[in-house]
Amino acid sequence: MSQKPKRADPPRPGAAGDAELAPITAMMSSRLMVLANLLKRGAILRYKRLAGLSSVEFGLVASLGRHPPMSVVRLAEAVGMDKGQISRALAGLVSRKLVAKAVNPKDNRETLVCLTKAGLAAHDAIVTGAQERNRRLLEQLSQDDLDLLLGHIDRLTERAAQMLAAEKDLN
């Protein structure tokens, strides 16, 4: 019985330069983090220039958006930060009249926050800036490439969520 010789796997995109990288930096998760960090750093610079907002502030303004007032606790959950950090950033946004705070009429122990007219203008600048950055980032991809990429990202995100849940179960 003769065996067929094994075929080498075809080279993967980017694999040629991988030999020069430290093993961890060649991994998909590291590459995605580098991309995410570059995009975040560019966003921080843009939103500082467009609306005078820090990274925490633009996250809050973006999350508050054009939604009805929300509690500080709910906002903290939405942005994944602790209530203390949120409260400090909100104080700055309130002092600059971008956010309004009020006691919840249904529960006076709870504070509700929402964007003011100036806050909405900052929000709209963020959204317009984000749309422009997104367009520029993706303009080199065909619609088929984009659909394929987004499908892969969705599947990887689902798998990463499963992996996180499994890690939490082990702790």
Side-chain angles (χ1 to χ4, degrees):
M1 172 155 87
S2 67
Q3 287 185 331
K4 289 184 181 179
K6 284 188 177 180
R7 264 205 240 152
D9 291 335
R12 294 179 175 199
D18 288 354
E20 297 171 15
L21 297 174
I24 196 86
T25 59
M27 292 183 182
M28 176 63 68
S29 57
S30 292
R31 290 175 180 208
L32 290 173
M33 285 190 284
V34 167
L35 173 60
N37 286 333
L38 288 169
L39 291 170
K40 182 178 180 179
R41 289 169 53 201
I44 289 168
L45 291 172
R46 176 173 281 228
Y47 304 141
K48 184 73 171 171
R49 179 175 46 81
L50 291 176
L53 300 173
S54 71
S55 62
V56 172
E57 291 171 337
F58 87 72
L60 297 178
V61 170
S63 294
L64 285 168
R66 294 188 168 274
H67 303 289
M70 70 172 73
S71 72
V72 174
V73 171
R74 184 163 176 266
L75 180 61
E77 290 169 357
V79 297
M81 296 171 67
D82 70 66
K83 193 177 159 197
Q85 276 183 299
I86 299 293
S87 294
R88 285 187 295 279
L90 284 173
L93 292 170
V94 168
S95 72
R96 289 171 24 225
K97 301 193 182 338
L98 297 173
V99 169
K101 290 171 84 174
V103 173
N104 185 345
K106 296 178 183 172
D107 181 355
N108 63 4
R109 296 169 296 170
E110 185 175 63
T111 301
L112 299 177
V113 292
C114 66
L115 296 178
T116 63
K117 193 172 184 174
L120 287 169
H123 172 267
D124 293 348
I126 288 170
V127 169
T128 301
Q131 290 169 334
E132 170 61 17
R133 292 181 77 241
N134 191 63
R135 185 195 61 73
R136 288 183 54 213
L137 178 67
L138 300 176
E139 68 188 359
Q140 63 189 340
L141 300 177
S142 71
Q143 188 61 51
D144 288 344
D145 287 343
L146 180 58
D147 293 343
L148 185 64
L149 175 62
L150 294 177
H152 288 314
I153 289 171
D154 290 345
R155 285 195 304 282
L156 290 170
T157 300
E158 186 174 326
R159 176 57 60 91
Q162 292 166 356
M163 291 167 61
L164 174 60
E167 285 296 327
K168 286 180 176 178
D169 289 344
L170 295 174
N171 287 326

